[in-house]
Amino acid sequence: MPVRPHGRALDALRPTTLETGTAPFAEGSCTITMGMTRVLCTASVDEGVPPWREGRGGWVTGEYAMLPRATAERTRRERRGPRGRTQEIQRLIGRSLRAAVDLAALGERTVTVDCDVLVADGGTRTASITGACVALEMAFQRLVSEGTLEASPLRQWVAATSAGMVDGEARLDLEYVEDAAADVDFNFVHLEDGRLVEVQGTAEGAPFTREELDELLHLGAAGAEALIRMQEVAIGHLR
């Protein structure tokens, strides 16, 4: 049977940490580390919303960027605007966070969560979502402590994981060498109550069966549940 990098079990996440308060000037911040992948997530609060949102509550959005040497070779900065992949990931982050937030309770405020990839070794978009949710809740708790809000508008946690078929095996939380070799690659975004916010998947190589999809869904749900427990611990001292 093929062996995973670092001897990880098929259903095991990479070693994961959620470090809060890593950007002290932001209303909320979290640096998430999953294996070698490392993402700094910062939440910034602004009074007011976009014109099309006026009278309809608050807004939460995400931005994503990768530092030039987050990868093995230098990647040029996106000075002329985000490329297609970056735009896709930003929209995914925003959709995922908004699914967990009571926007009416937020009031007419905009929270922007910036996700900056410091080291990329696979799963940067899923790590960004998980870390962004912690940074977002930190910002909400700050608004509560300042008396701006009565309670946090975060209705429940949201976390994301990847899973894929590699060498005929269903594996959770693919790192880069596995992602590059995967026949099937999925990203799952889960709410705390188990509902799915988004499923992104494709057959990179061989097509997959319904049974394999069910196995990947099971792995993704278990991984998200473990990450949500970590989010609770990371932010627990503020709640």
Side-chain angles (χ1 to χ4, degrees), residues 143-155:
L143 293 175
V144 171
S145 68
E146 293 173 346
T148 304
L149 294 176
E150 292 185 3
S152 170
L154 189 75
R155 295 178 294 190

Side-chain angles (χ1 to χ4, degrees), residues 9 12 54 71 78 98-99 149 157 171 182 204 216 237:
E54 291 178 358
T71 52
E78 299 180 14
R98 289 191 295 273
L149 294 176
W157 295 106
R171 301 184 183 187
E204 303 282 357
L216 294 175
H237 65 288

Side-chain angles (χ1 to χ4, degrees), residues 32-139:
I32 180 170
T33 302
M34 300 189 73
M36 286 184 61
T37 289
R38 189 170 175 84
V39 185
L40 171 63
C41 306
T42 56
S44 302
V45 181
D46 292 301
E47 293 296 321
V49 293
W52 55 267
R53 188 69 189 170
E54 291 178 358
R56 301 170 59 192
W59 189 245
V60 176
T61 188
E63 294 200 8
Y64 170 96
M66 190 176 293
L67 294 187
R69 283 316 302 264
T71 52
E73 296 181 356
R74 185 179 186 276
T75 303
R76 290 194 176 194
R77 298 183 190 273
E78 299 180 14
R79 298 190 186 277
R80 296 185 178 181
R83 292 189 287 264
R85 175 182 180 274
T86 301
Q87 292 185 41
E88 175 207 346
I89 294 174
Q90 289 182 166
R91 291 167 181 160
L92 172 64
I93 294 169
R95 287 194 301 271
S96 300
L97 296 176
R98 289 191 295 273
V101 174
D102 182 345
L103 295 175
L106 176 58
E108 292 206 347
R109 299 177 182 87
T110 299
V111 185
T112 303
V113 185
D114 291 285
C115 300
D116 292 291
V117 180
L118 308 179
V119 183
D121 188 38
T124 61
R125 74 184 66 194
T126 53
S128 293
I129 291 166
T130 302
C133 187
V134 173
L136 183 65
E137 174 62 0
M138 286 191 69

Side-chain angles (χ1 to χ4, degrees), residues 222-233:
E225 182 177 355
L227 290 169
I228 288 168
R229 300 289 84 79
M230 295 180 201
Q231 290 173 324
E232 291 176 330
V233 171

Side-chain angles (χ1 to χ4, degrees), residues 131-215:
C133 187
V134 173
L136 183 65
E137 174 62 0
M138 286 191 69
F140 288 160
Q141 290 297 330
R142 180 166 172 173
L143 293 175
V144 171
S145 68
E146 293 173 346
T148 304
L149 294 176
E150 292 185 3
S152 170
L154 189 75
R155 295 178 294 190
Q156 53 184 309
W157 295 106
V158 60
T161 57
S162 67
M165 299 297 301
V166 183
D167 293 327
E169 300 174 330
R171 301 184 183 187
L172 176 65
D173 189 21
L174 305 183
E175 53 194 277
Y176 178 76
V177 293
E178 296 177 302
D179 186 46
D183 284 323
V184 179
D185 185 17
F186 269 83
N187 297 308
F188 302 107
V189 183
H190 281 266
L191 290 174
E192 185 177 355
D193 63 12
R195 288 180 295 164
L196 285 157
V197 177
E198 190 136 354
V199 177
Q200 298 179 336
T202 187
E204 303 282 357
F208 53 93
T209 66
R210 173 61 183 270
E211 290 74 19
E212 289 170 336
L213 174 57
D214 288 343
E215 191 172 3

